[in-house]
Amino acid sequence: MDDYPLLNLFWTMLWFFLWIMWLFLLFKIITDIFRDHELSGWGKAGWLIFCILLPYLGVLVYVIARGKGMSRRDVKQAKDAEAAFQDYIRKTAGTPGAGGTGQGGSADELARLADLRDRGAITDEEFERAKAKVLS
């Protein structure tokens, strides 16, 4: 350990961390290239070749040129996954309109009524009447 001072250990750890961070970003960019449906096949091939032949420069240029689009595609993918998950839950729970048995239908109707009341579309009195109708 005498031959390797503490400052050299710090620099080695820093460079290793930056290399791992760059690898993570490279894989994120590659998945983003394939996820982008607006980019043509030639565009995808060009970005891939650029990121593979000039890896550090390619990653930096991609993040600068298409960084905002990356975040939009990430958000869209998360929303689509959430919607698919919610749809799956509705189908397996058997709520009406999803091909189920009707279990939980009154709970869904009450939730819709509460949402309408919260948005101000119906009054508290209308909510109570509709609630009594659903529960009976």
Side-chain angles (χ1 to χ4, degrees):
M1 189 72 175
D2 294 331
D3 295 337
Y4 206 68
L6 187 60
L7 186 60
N8 285 351
L9 179 65
F10 169 76
W11 282 112
T12 301
M13 288 174 54
L14 178 69
W15 284 112
F16 182 72
F17 172 75
L18 290 174
W19 182 70
I20 294 294
M21 214 168 63
W22 172 80
L23 273 177
F24 174 77
L25 192 56
L26 178 66
F27 289 120
K28 182 99 171 129
I29 285 172
I30 289 172
T31 58
D32 185 66
I33 288 171
F34 286 109
R35 182 177 44 203
D36 187 5
H37 299 296
E38 296 173 4
L39 195 60
S40 69
W42 286 105
K44 290 178 183 184
W47 277 113
L48 278 174
I49 290 170
F50 188 44
C51 287
I52 290 171
L53 293 181
L54 298 170
Y56 295 104
L57 184 63
V59 166
L60 183 64
V61 170
Y62 188 89
V63 169
I64 291 170
R66 299 179 50 87
K68 287 184 182 177
M70 278 178 73
S71 62
R72 278 195 307 268
R73 285 183 289 278
D74 278 343
V75 168
K76 183 182 180 311
Q77 183 186 19
K79 285 182 180 179
D80 290 347
E82 178 67 21
F85 179 67
Q86 293 296 332
D87 187 45
Y88 171 76
I89 288 175
R90 275 188 219 97
K91 286 180 182 176
T92 55
T95 56
T101 61
Q103 299 170 350
S106 59
D108 285 342
E109 188 64 29
L110 287 174
R112 282 190 215 106
L113 287 171
D115 184 46
L116 287 171
R117 181 190 58 190
D118 293 341
R119 289 187 294 163
I122 61 174
T123 65
D124 286 337
E125 182 181 297
E126 291 170 325
F127 171 76
E128 291 301 326
R129 273 187 280 155
K131 179 179 160 186
K133 191 177 196 181
V134 167
L135 294 176
S136 62

